[in-house]
Amino acid sequence: MKKFNFYILSGVLSSALLVGGFALTQSENLGFSKGENIQVIAANDDKQDSKTPKKKLTKAERDYALQKFMAAVNVVENNYVSDLDTAEVIDKAISGMLSNLDAHSAYLQQKDYEDLKTKTSGSFSGIGIQIGIKDGALTVIAPLDDTPAKKAGIKSGDIILKIDDKPTLDMKIDNAVSLMKGKKGTKVVLTIIRSGEPKPLKFEIKRDEIKVKSTFVSKIEDTNYAYLRVATFDQNVTQEARKGLKQLGKIDGIVLDLRGNPGGLLDQAVSLVSLFVKSGVVVSEKGKTENMELKVSGGADFPDVPLVVLVNGGSASASEIVAGALQDYKRAIILGESTFGKGSVQKVLPFGNKGQEALKLTVAKYYLPTGRSIQAVGIKPDIIVAEGEVPLGNENQLEFKEADLKRHLKNELANADSADSKGADSKDSKNTESSDNKNITQSMIVKDIQLKSAIDVLKTWGVIGVKTAK
């Protein structure tokens, strides 16, 4: 059997079983595509954390610790209310050891490991959410675009109280995943606790094939701005983003939407930054055995185009690296809500009899260009804007302006402007009729105050730029 040695670069391993095309790269080559301007540089071991390393146990102390462990196994095997053999007790002990290290480490027994290798290679049935443990609760990191969970109304930050009739208190993520995945067309009921809601909410969700479109590029109506949505970092993100943006021609600004993006391939996160940053370190990994810097060099396709990045509590891991790097280089304005704060790297290590089991182990932390960590902190936006619709005021409210008053003064330019606009209106109307229906329309914008705010920032940026140039 070929050994699988994966870096886990999205939110959490188990939640990936609900998402088509889980973001993993083989550690032998890190999955970097040929032609990408990315440099992988091994970090100097001397730059490890300066804190004093923990004293190693002597051989006698180590032997005593192992004897203590086996004594505990014997006590459980001989006295527990139900029959257990030594192998079962050892498996439970390993599982407990890994799960108590941190929220992302886990013991993958043979079935779980086989599921990983099968599910990461193709599409499958699920509901399409990324989950993790936050403050001890099973929490939705993000629902994926155009999936049953998203359509049902599941939101980032929702706490899953029950899956069908099973409480999630102390439930492991892998077990939660197993309960939520299933045959296409079957249903699962999630009981959700949501901030601001007085009582739990119930969602009946029909499972479906999970095929997530990772990248969407569009023009924003009535502007010369581009909207770039990245839902997850799969292997085609940078290529599709570059192609889509270039097809729009000359643009005066870009809104990069990373809201609800749970992560994905690290190399794609780095190469996406390379579209906007000419050179420099994007992210560093530091751990006991994993130490390296990922840099970009060789120029950028859009080095000077004004850029606003949208983030929220569902933006995690790779998307936090992108937003954080662009913020550190002062290349973009980050707008929205604080991100998830997943700044650690997991590696899947084959283990046990013939490598049929595995240990998913946290092996390093991410650090942004300025050296800051996002672990359990996340990215704080430059401009904080909560989600919601754009307030439009009372439709029944009467408003009077100068032009509504009798005998108001006429603007001497009005007639000239009116005459000039006739031809232009005709031309604009024709263009509107032939415009791409996929454009971000004004009706979409008024339903999304974060997007509206991002567009306003680009407009302000443009005005300041023009005045500065003069």
Side-chain angles (χ1 to χ4, degrees), residues 374-385:
I374 59 176
Q375 177 60 30
V377 176
I379 303 297
K380 184 178 179 180
D382 301 305
I383 302 175
I384 298 176
V385 179

Side-chain angles (χ1 to χ4, degrees), residues 181-200:
K181 69 181 181 180
K183 187 176 179 182
K184 177 180 178 179
T186 59
K187 296 179 180 179
V188 61
V189 177
L190 300 186
T191 303
I192 296 292
I193 296 177
R194 178 175 295 168
S195 177
E197 294 291 340
K199 59 182 181 180

Side-chain angles (χ1 to χ4, degrees), residues 47-49 51 266 281-287 290-294 320-321 324-325 328 342-345 364-375 379:
K47 294 182 179 179
Q48 279 279 36
D49 292 340
K51 65 181 181 180
L266 180 60
V281 174
V282 174
V283 64
S284 304
E285 287 185 12
K286 295 180 183 179
E290 305 294 328
N291 289 277
M292 62 182 178
E293 290 182 339
L294 301 181
E320 292 178 286
I321 289 171
D328 279 4
K342 200 277 184 182
S344 60
V345 186
K365 289 182 180 179
Y366 292 129
Y367 294 87
L368 296 174
T370 57
R372 59 180 172 141
S373 170
I374 59 176
Q375 177 60 30
I379 303 297

Side-chain angles (χ1 to χ4, degrees), residues 253-453:
I254 300 171
V255 176
L256 171 57
D257 190 349
L258 298 178
R259 292 174 296 180
N261 182 323
L265 293 173
L266 180 60
D267 71 300
Q268 287 298 304
V270 175
S271 62
L272 185 67
V273 173
S274 75
L275 296 181
F276 309 108
V277 175
K278 292 181 180 179
S279 63
V281 174
V282 174
V283 64
S284 304
E285 287 185 12
K286 295 180 183 179
K288 189 178 292 183
T289 59
E290 305 294 328
N291 289 277
M292 62 182 178
E293 290 182 339
L294 301 181
K295 295 184 175 183
V296 295
S297 62
D301 293 88
F302 310 96
D304 302 313
V305 179
L307 178 65
V308 178
V309 181
L310 293 176
V311 295
N312 64 6
S315 307
S317 194
S319 57
E320 292 178 286
I321 289 171
V322 172
L326 293 173
Q327 187 179 52
D328 279 4
Y329 283 113
K330 301 187 185 305
R331 179 60 189 86
I333 299 295
I334 312 301
L335 187 149
E337 299 168 284
S338 295
T339 61
F340 185 77
K342 200 277 184 182
S344 60
V345 186
Q346 283 70 46
K347 199 172 184 180
V348 177
L349 305 167
F351 171 78
N353 184 30
K354 299 180 181 179
Q356 293 179 340
E357 299 168 315
L359 303 181
K360 177 171 68 106
L361 193 64
T362 299
V363 295
K365 289 182 180 179
Y366 292 129
Y367 294 87
L368 296 174
T370 57
R372 59 180 172 141
S373 170
I374 59 176
Q375 177 60 30
V377 176
I379 303 297
K380 184 178 179 180
D382 301 305
I383 302 175
I384 298 176
V385 179
E387 67 173 4
E389 295 188 7
V390 178
L392 299 177
N394 189 341
E395 293 181 359
N396 297 320
Q397 180 177 338
L398 294 177
E399 294 183 352
F400 289 97
K401 298 182 180 180
E402 173 72 15
D404 298 313
L405 299 176
K406 288 184 178 181
R407 295 184 298 278
H408 66 269
L409 294 176
K410 301 290 185 181
N411 187 317
E412 63 270 22
L413 297 178
N415 291 336
D417 290 343
S418 177
D420 291 341
S421 66
K422 287 181 179 178
D425 289 343
S426 175
K427 182 179 179 181
D428 289 344
S429 176
K430 183 177 180 181
N431 287 340
T432 301
E433 290 173 2
S434 62
S435 65
D436 189 348
N437 291 329
K438 293 182 179 179
N439 283 357
I440 301 299
T441 64
Q442 293 301 317
S443 61
M444 296 176 184
I445 294 170
V446 297
K447 294 179 181 178
D448 187 345
I449 194 170
Q450 292 175 332
L451 176 57
K452 172 68 164 56
S453 299

Side-chain angles (χ1 to χ4, degrees), residues 234-255:
D234 67 16
Q235 60 186 354
N236 299 314
V237 163
T238 306
Q239 178 184 347
E240 291 178 2
R242 180 188 289 112
K243 179 181 177 182
L245 291 172
K246 286 187 175 295
Q247 283 179 344
L248 294 180
K250 185 181 183 303
I251 49 180
D252 296 329
I254 300 171
V255 176

